[in-house]
Amino acid sequence: MLFAKLAWRNGYQVEVDSPWVPKDWLPISPLEKYEDPWPFMQSFDIYQPFQGDYAPWTPVRLYRTE
């Protein structure tokens, strides 16, 4: 299952003939709607800069175009 899913993720639409890998699990497509199930995470922004000791690990630095 893992290798078949990785292949689909990279654009190779492999046909798997196995009862252990349902064909409905393989296609990669975005969901129609994404919900935040936890209220405390609704205001969190992954692209905010980290502070203190974690500042070198901030994702903002990785995607900056300057």
Side-chain angles (χ1 to χ4, degrees):
M1 177 65 198
L2 176 66
F3 291 120
K5 196 67 171 176
L6 282 172
W8 273 76
R9 183 82 176 142
N10 287 293
Y12 299 98
Q13 297 182 2
V14 296
E15 292 289 329
V16 180
D17 185 22
S18 169
W20 301 105
V21 181
K23 293 182 182 189
D24 294 340
W25 289 4
L26 294 177
I28 304 289
S29 60
L31 299 174
E32 292 179 15
K33 182 179 178 184
Y34 292 89
E35 296 182 17
D36 291 324
W38 303 287
F40 70 92
M41 291 297 291
Q42 291 177 351
S43 63
F44 183 75
D45 180 14
I46 187 66
Y47 296 106
Q48 66 186 353
F50 296 160
Q51 304 297 323
D53 294 339
Y54 296 105
W57 299 98
T58 185
V60 174
R61 180 180 56 84
L62 299 174
Y63 298 107
R64 204 174 276 163
T65 59
E66 299 174 54

